[in-house]
Amino acid sequence: MDSNEIYAHLQKIYCTILKKDQVTLTDETTAADIDGWDSLTHMLLMDSVEREFGIKFKLMEIMKFNNVGDMVACIQKKLAAK
Amino acid sequence: MSITIRQATIADKEFVMLAIAEAEKSGNDTISYCNILGVSEQEFLVMLSNMLEEEIEGQEMYIPGFLIALVNGIPAAASCSWIEQSGNMASSTLKSNLLMYHTTRSVLLAAMPAIAALKEVNIDRTQGTLQIESIYTSPQYRCRGLTGMLINEHIAQHNTSNAAVNKAQITLLGCNEAARSAYTKVGFVQVQEKKSDNPIILKLLFCDSKIMMEKTIN
């Protein structure tokens, strides 16, 4: 799956969890850029991302995400290793 | 009476766990995490032990972030500190990640309504400030000024190591008059209060508000 496809899935997840019609995600996006992405919705987002892609992040992987781009790279790596 | 203060090590894990649990009780019988997550105290303590083992800096469940006050060589009081969001994530998000990995999905999903309700009284910590948390003194050592000594030591250590940090913040339940009084004595003033009339909040926290106290340092 390429990064555009991953982003399409992520947009859908973020819209559902954050109850928004549209969420713009880029490699540089962080929680501070998106209204409603707080510690509570963060747990729901990560859970939904793992379920959507059928992957499991390691704790230290998730702790090192500086932005959405880091998460996308990690998803890609895990999907490639499947 | 000999009082010394030192940084906590893994050997202090049990006392640190006691400090976190008792500070979370905030004078009540139940650890607020137990109410929120719907787990027993024993189950929470297992989770807490595992979360401490992860050694994640920047939030309160991190043993080296604690200072221990010893009276005649015996651990008597403890508290932790960190610089808020000195890395890529807020302390609340770091804790969310820890909770996600040390509880089950079903527990987390069941806890979501409670966690969502708590947002009504949640006060965001300010990025770049010194946060002081999990302040606890064993009952037999209270009224000896240990809390103030620990807070002052946290501030002194950060003043030495990080001149850019100019505020210290403490977040506590609005009903905790004893704690508010102790922090006022060492120069903290209330800067924010969030109150809710949602009965779920009272059931979870035994209090309807949270307050933030602040002190200028450096």
Side-chain angles (χ1 to χ4, degrees):
Chain A
M1 194 181 291
D2 67 24
S3 65
N4 287 336
E5 288 174 276
I6 292 172
Y7 268 105
H9 283 270
L10 290 179
Q11 307 270 7
K12 201 173 67 182
I13 292 167
Y14 275 64
C15 284
T16 303
I17 300 292
L18 302 178
K19 299 183 174 66
K20 290 178 185 292
D21 294 332
Q22 197 184 340
V23 175
T24 305
L25 298 174
T26 70
D27 280 355
E28 288 76 35
T29 304
T30 68
D33 300 319
I34 297 187
D35 186 37
W37 185 357
D38 56 22
S39 54
L40 166 68
T41 51
H42 177 79
M43 287 192 277
L44 296 172
L45 287 167
M46 293 305 112
D47 177 64
S48 296
V49 168
E50 287 181 338
R51 289 163 67 82
E52 176 79 9
F53 294 100
I55 57 172
K56 184 80 186 156
F57 295 125
K58 290 179 185 161
L59 178 60
M60 291 320 289
E61 287 171 336
I62 225 168
M63 289 292 192
K64 286 177 184 165
F65 291 165
N66 285 310
N67 49 39
V68 171
D70 287 346
M71 179 168 65
V72 170
C74 188
I75 294 168
Q76 265 187 313
K77 196 173 140 194
K78 285 186 178 291
L79 291 177
K82 267 185 162 184
Chain B
M1 184 173 74
S2 149
I3 299 173
T4 51
I5 293 177
R6 62 161 170 79
Q7 187 180 20
T9 69
I10 192 70
D12 299 303
K13 187 177 177 186
E14 276 193 30
F15 194 71
V16 165
M17 286 176 61
L18 176 71
I20 294 171
E22 291 302 316
E24 281 297 325
K25 285 180 183 174
S26 203
N28 298 298
D29 292 333
T30 315
I31 300 169
S32 55
Y33 281 109
C34 296
N35 285 343
I36 296 162
L37 298 172
V39 296
S40 68
E41 184 163 334
Q42 193 52 45
E43 287 168 324
F44 173 71
L45 290 175
V46 171
M47 277 173 59
L48 177 57
S49 173
N50 292 335
M51 290 191 283
L52 287 168
E53 297 279 337
E54 299 284 1
E55 298 190 333
I56 304 296
E57 285 185 66
Q59 46 84 42
E60 65 260 43
M61 294 172 188
Y62 177 62
I63 293 172
F66 274 80
L67 292 176
I68 309 281
L70 301 113
V71 175
N72 298 329
I74 297 166
S79 64
C80 74
S81 68
W82 70 89
I83 306 299
E84 179 64 17
Q85 209 174 342
S86 61
N88 56 339
M89 287 181 194
S91 56
S92 56
T93 305
L94 293 172
K95 267 199 305 185
S96 291
N97 285 336
L98 276 170
L99 282 171
M100 269 177 62
Y101 276 80
H102 291 286
T103 190
T104 63
R105 185 170 190 273
S106 58
V107 165
L108 261 190
L109 291 180
M112 283 303 162
I115 298 172
L118 287 171
K119 284 165 79 172
E120 292 176 30
V121 292
N122 185 50
I123 301 175
D124 287 334
R125 303 170 195 271
T126 311
Q127 185 174 8
T129 55
L130 176 66
Q131 297 294 318
I132 302 175
E133 262 281 348
S134 300
I135 304 163
Y136 168 72
T137 303
S138 297
Q140 64 269 38
Y141 296 110
R142 287 179 188 162
C143 303
R144 299 185 195 200
L146 296 178
T147 293
M149 286 181 208
L150 280 169
I151 290 172
N152 287 334
E153 184 60 23
H154 279 292
I155 292 171
Q157 290 191 2
H158 283 281
N159 275 346
T160 309
S161 63
N162 195 339
V165 176
N166 56 19
K167 271 182 191 167
Q169 294 178 331
I170 301 176
T171 307
L172 63 150
L173 293 179
C175 319
N176 195 341
E177 286 300 333
R180 190 198 301 237
S181 166
Y183 307 150
T184 302
K185 279 182 192 163
V186 286
F188 281 77
V189 293
Q190 183 178 322
V191 291
Q192 206 179 337
E193 178 172 25
K194 270 201 177 175
K195 211 167 181 164
S196 168
D197 56 7
N198 185 341
I200 297 172
I201 304 285
L202 203 58
K203 195 177 159 199
L204 294 171
L205 301 178
F206 307 108
C207 183
D208 63 358
S209 69
K210 276 193 174 182
I211 62 173
M212 176 178 275
M213 300 183 77
E214 203 170 83
K215 180 180 179 175
T216 300
I217 58 176
N218 265 325

